[in-house]
Amino acid sequence: MTADSSSEPRTQNTERETYFGEFITHSPEETFALAKSIGEQLKGGETVLLSGELGAGKTVFAKGLAAGLGIEPAEVTSPTFTLINAHDGRLRFYHVDLYRLDDGAHRNLGLEEIFDDEKAVSVIEWAERLSRAPACAVAVELTYVSDCERRVVIVETV
Ligand SMILES: Nc1ncnc2c1ncn2[C@@H]1O[C@H](COP(=O)(O)OP(=O)(O)OP(=O)(O)O)[C@@H](O)[C@H]1O
Ligand SMILES: [Mg+2]
C-alpha cells in the first residue's frame, strides 16, 4: 500500500486531535466518512473552506461534516439558490455555496456574522471565491483523480 492509497493521513499534528493531511478517497462513502470524522471533532467557531471543481465532492464532504454534527445528511443539499442553509445539530451548521455569486457579492451575505458564531460551524463551497479567508479556518481542497477517486488536502489556515 502506498502512502496515497489509504485514507490515513500522510502528515499528522500529534499535539492534538487532528485531521490535517493529504488523503486519497476511493468512493463517495470514503469522502463522507473522512468528513464525518472531522465533523465529530469540530468544537464550534470553525469555518471549513471547500474548494475544487464541479463534481469534486464538496457537497459529499459537507454532508459528512453535517453527519459528524448529528445532522441528517439527506437534509444537506447545495444551497445554490438560497445561498445559505442552516441546520441544527450538536452545533449549528451553516452551509454556503458561492458558485452562482458574482465576484464580491458575498460581501452582502453577512458571512462575517456566521464566521464569528462560536456555536456554529460554517462550511463554504467554492470558497476560492471569498475575497478574504476568515480566521480559524480549515481549508479542504478536493481534486478529481479518477471516476471514483479524489485527492483531499486538508490544511489549517491562519
Ligand atoms: N471519492 C469520491 N469522493 C467524493 N465524490 C465522489 C468520489 N468518487 C466519485 N464521486 C462522485 O462525485 C460526485 C461529487 O459530487 P458533489 O456534488 O459532492 O460535487 P461538488 O464538488 O459539490 O460539485 P458542485 O461544484 O457541482 O457543487 C458525486 O456524484 C459522487 O458520487
Ligand atoms: Mg456542491
Side-chain angles (χ1 to χ4, degrees):
M1 192 187 287
T2 65
D4 260 2
S5 70
S6 79
S7 60
E8 289 303 308
R10 212 196 249 173
T11 55
Q12 210 164 20
N13 176 346
T14 50
E15 283 172 16
R16 56 188 168 124
E17 264 192 300
T18 191
Y19 33 77
F20 302 112
E22 184 176 330
F23 307 81
I24 297 288
T25 63
H26 304 85
S27 64
E29 292 75 18
E30 238 183 77
T31 299
F32 180 94
L34 172 63
K36 184 177 176 194
S37 72
I38 294 169
E40 285 165 353
Q41 297 176 56
L42 296 175
K43 299 186 168 36
E46 297 94 346
T47 302
V48 181
L49 305 170
L50 300 179
S51 60
E53 62 198 304
L54 286 168
K58 300 180 293 297
T59 301
V60 170
F61 200 94
K63 285 172 180 277
L65 286 173
L69 296 172
I71 294 160
E72 171 55 52
E75 288 174 13
V76 176
T77 55
S78 266
T80 306
F81 296 103
T82 49
L83 301 174
I84 304 178
N85 287 342
H87 304 271
D88 285 314
R90 178 171 66 75
L91 298 163
R92 179 158 270 225
F93 180 75
Y94 292 111
H95 186 193
V96 181
D97 190 329
L98 299 177
Y99 182 60
R100 279 172 193 271
L101 277 196
D102 293 334
D103 279 353
H106 61 80
R107 292 197 194 93
N108 306 323
L109 288 178
L111 292 179
E112 305 300 333
E113 210 173 298
I114 68 169
F115 292 163
D116 287 345
D117 186 341
E118 293 293 322
K119 293 201 160 46
V121 169
S122 303
V123 178
I124 319 289
E125 293 197 39
W126 291 97
E128 52 270 64
R129 301 201 169 183
L130 278 179
S131 45
R132 194 152 36 102
C136 196
V138 175
V140 179
E141 189 173 355
L142 293 130
T143 316
Y144 178 96
V145 177
S146 70
D147 272 1
C148 296
E149 291 174 306
R150 301 293 186 269
R151 173 170 289 105
V152 186
V153 178
I154 306 175
V155 296
E156 186 175 31
T157 66
V158 184

